[in-house]
Amino acid sequence: MLGQDADDFCRPGLSAAPLGEDRAGELARVFKALGDPVRLRLLSLIASRQGGEVCVCELTPAFEVSQPTISHHLKLLRQAGLIDGERRGTWVYYRVLPEALEGLAAVLRPRAAEAEA
Amino acid sequence: MLGQDADDFCRPGLSAAPLGEDRAGELARVFKALGDPVRLRLLSLIASRQGGEVCVCELTPAFEVSQPTISHHLKLLRQAGLIDGERRGTWVYYRVLPEALEGLAAVLRPRAAEAEA
DNA sequence: GCTCTATATTGACGACTTTCGATTCAACCC
DNA sequence: GGGTTGAATCGAAAGTCGTCAATATAGAGC
């Protein structure tokens, strides 16, 4: 949803011009997905993993919440366009979509920092 | 709360290593503040303003929600460390804290992009 | 086919959010 | 002082979110 085509890289950040309502709505959905400690840790676990993929079977026991809750959070991260999952046999593997992270970082970067890029 | 001292600039991003619970909690609070369309547009209006400051009296009529609601959202943005406000006479002026935005952008930047910096 | 394991979905509950109208607080001006 | 205007706070209603236990689905292997 975000960072999946080249357009997202060309959009100006927050500080370039006031966000329109539609764009604000899109971005809010993604930031909302980041606004939970469990989801942030899930994303970080996946993003920091050498090889780029993590099995859900490794994620679930890393938290003190139930398996359905982890599944729910993974779904929200996926719907926000931050991660993607693939089933291989019995297991499901998730990976981050780095373009999405990069795109969000670009949105946040303040005006001064925009010139350097 | 974020980006207010030098430490925040040196912290590794999401993708460098799994986030600890405490850090994830801190960051989630900030991202949650960004997870609302009205707040994103408020932040963008303030950030994109030449001169760096915007009077609340200019913010309130730019939205279709009530004045108390705008005030509430500004409070949340301030508590997240994203903006700061100052009263001058009858009016209150808000400005963004660019270090906070820069810090958040750095947190998001994926591993590949981290090397370039 | 049946069974077992891994993941997803459902339904429910409490907690938190967003919003509002009413009120209060702060500062200016007469 | 009293009146006016800008902004914050309060209290409540409606909606959303995070979580769980229970259940369903997908695939592997016998």
Side-chain angles (χ1 to χ4, degrees):
Chain A
M1 207 112 257
L2 190 145
Q4 293 188 345
D5 59 53
D7 271 5
D8 293 315
F9 294 100
C10 302
R11 291 204 228 240
L14 277 180
S15 310
L19 286 174
E21 290 186 47
D22 294 355
R23 180 89 172 119
E26 284 176 30
L27 287 172
R29 279 196 17 258
V30 183
F31 282 123
K32 201 180 304 186
L34 295 173
D36 178 274
V38 173
R39 285 197 292 272
L40 269 183
R41 288 173 62 203
L42 277 169
L43 184 66
S44 178
L45 264 178
I46 301 170
S48 63
R49 168 60 54 98
Q50 197 76 23
E53 284 189 334
V54 186
C55 176
V56 174
C57 63
E58 238 179 305
L59 260 17
T60 304
F63 294 84
E64 296 190 339
V65 299
S66 68
Q67 175 267 319
T69 298
I70 295 295
S71 190
H72 173 64
H73 285 311
L74 288 170
K75 184 183 191 177
L76 291 186
L77 287 171
R78 183 154 34 82
Q79 289 176 336
L82 293 166
I83 63 175
D84 195 15
E86 184 194 354
R87 173 158 224 135
R88 285 209 293 278
T90 309
W91 296 275
V92 176
Y93 296 84
Y94 280 94
R95 66 177 199 284
V96 300
L97 299 175
E99 323 85 67
L101 292 184
E102 184 63 45
L104 268 198
V107 165
L108 289 177
R109 196 166 295 123
R111 203 201 313 261
E114 222 162 84
E116 305 171 14
Chain B
M1 207 115 258
L2 188 146
Q4 295 189 342
D5 60 55
D7 271 6
D8 294 314
F9 292 99
C10 303
R11 292 205 227 238
L14 277 180
S15 310
L19 286 174
E21 290 185 47
D22 294 355
R23 179 88 172 121
E26 283 176 32
L27 287 172
R29 280 198 16 256
V30 183
F31 282 122
K32 200 180 305 184
L34 295 173
D36 177 275
V38 174
R39 284 197 292 273
L40 268 184
R41 289 173 62 205
L42 278 170
L43 185 65
S44 178
L45 264 178
I46 301 169
S48 63
R49 169 59 56 95
Q50 198 75 24
E53 282 188 335
V54 187
C55 177
V56 175
C57 62
E58 236 180 305
L59 260 16
T60 303
F63 294 83
E64 296 190 339
V65 299
S66 68
Q67 175 267 320
T69 299
I70 294 294
S71 190
H72 176 240
H73 284 310
L74 287 170
K75 183 182 190 178
L76 291 186
L77 286 171
R78 184 155 31 85
Q79 288 177 337
L82 293 165
I83 63 176
D84 195 16
E86 184 194 355
R87 174 158 224 136
R88 285 210 292 280
T90 309
W91 295 277
V92 175
Y93 295 85
Y94 280 93
R95 64 177 201 284
V96 299
L97 299 174
E99 324 84 67
L101 292 184
E102 184 62 46
L104 268 198
V107 164
L108 289 177
R109 194 168 298 124
R111 202 201 312 262
E114 223 162 83
E116 303 171 17

